């Protein structure tokens, strides 16, 4: 059985967004809980270091790379497919852009920047820490659920295409 490239591409997109979702879930599920349970100086210092290291990670390539890819896939879905398949591809693009990118840009990243502007593990960072953890985790829940939804949309789209082939 010869599987079309489009189906393989959708499966790859599902895996990529699933990985993004998994990283976000890791932070929501236990990383932030662990950092919040540690001494405030240790938690703030660890998060400041994590926020610096993330820029040179494979995760960042996936996170940023999926923005134009998801938008392009949504546009292609809108113009080249019909019905449920079209809707799934458009929803995936909108969900990634709004639920992952915009919530990062207007939620988590400004909070990371505020934490970064404070002395490493210092008193100001420690006093900001409880507010940071609450808000950051809330926005992160949005991101992991959105990325999971995108992954599901791509997977279901691949299945629908395979059934139609």
């Amino acid at each position: 059985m010869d599987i079309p490239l489009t189906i393989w591409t959708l499966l790859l997109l599902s895996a990529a967004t699933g990985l993004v979702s998994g990283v976000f879930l890791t932070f929501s599920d236990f990383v932030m809980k662990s950092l919040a349970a540690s001494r405030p100086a240790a938690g703030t210092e660890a998060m400041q270091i994590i926020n610096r290291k993330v820029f040179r990670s494979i995760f960042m390539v996936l996170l940023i790379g999926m923005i134009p890819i998801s938008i392009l896939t949504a546009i292609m879905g809108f113009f080249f497919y019909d019905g449920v398949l079209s809707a799934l591809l458009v929803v995936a693009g909108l969900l990634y852009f709004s639920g992952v990118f915009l919530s990062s840009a207007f939620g988590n990243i400004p909070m990371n920047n505020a934490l970064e502007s404070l002395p490493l593990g210092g008193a100001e960072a420690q006093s900001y820490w409880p507010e940071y953890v609450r808000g950051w985790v809330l926005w992160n829940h949005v991101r992991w659920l959105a990325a999971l939804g995108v992954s599901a949309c791509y997977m279901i789209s691949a299945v629908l295409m395979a059934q139609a082939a």
Side-chain angles (χ1 to χ4, degrees):
M1 178 172 161
D2 192 25
I3 300 174
L5 181 60
T6 307
I7 294 173
W8 283 114
T9 301
L10 287 170
L11 292 172
L12 181 63
L13 294 177
S14 179
T17 53
L19 288 169
V20 169
S21 177
V23 171
F24 290 148
L25 174 60
T26 300
F27 273 83
S28 284
D29 186 36
F30 62 87
V31 171
M32 291 305 289
K33 289 176 186 175
S34 299
L35 294 177
S38 62
R39 291 176 290 99
T44 58
E45 184 175 349
M47 194 63 189
Q48 286 172 315
I49 292 168
I50 289 168
N51 286 335
R52 291 177 193 153
K53 297 289 184 185
V54 74
F55 291 109
R56 291 178 297 279
S57 68
I58 294 170
F59 169 74
M60 192 58 73
V61 173
L62 287 173
L63 177 68
I64 301 299
M66 285 306 302
I67 297 167
I69 291 169
S70 64
I71 292 169
L72 179 61
T73 304
I75 292 168
M76 290 179 67
F78 184 78
F79 287 108
F80 296 109
Y81 297 99
D82 295 318
V84 175
L85 185 57
S86 175
L88 285 167
L89 296 175
V90 170
V91 166
L94 293 173
L95 196 53
Y96 197 88
F97 186 77
S98 62
V100 176
F101 172 67
L102 290 180
S103 64
S104 295
F106 294 105
N108 298 88
I109 293 171
M111 295 181 80
N112 290 344
N113 291 340
L115 186 64
E116 179 61 28
S117 71
L118 303 173
L120 186 64
E124 292 172 21
Q126 291 176 53
S127 70
Y128 176 55
W129 185 240
E131 176 188 343
Y132 175 88
V133 170
R134 269 190 311 280
W136 196 95
V137 169
L138 178 66
W139 281 109
N140 199 61
H141 287 338
V142 171
R143 299 190 305 174
W144 83 258
L145 288 168
L148 181 63
V150 173
S151 182
C153 285
Y154 289 144
M155 180 65 71
I156 295 167
S157 296
V159 169
L160 292 175
M161 280 189 176
Q163 288 176 340

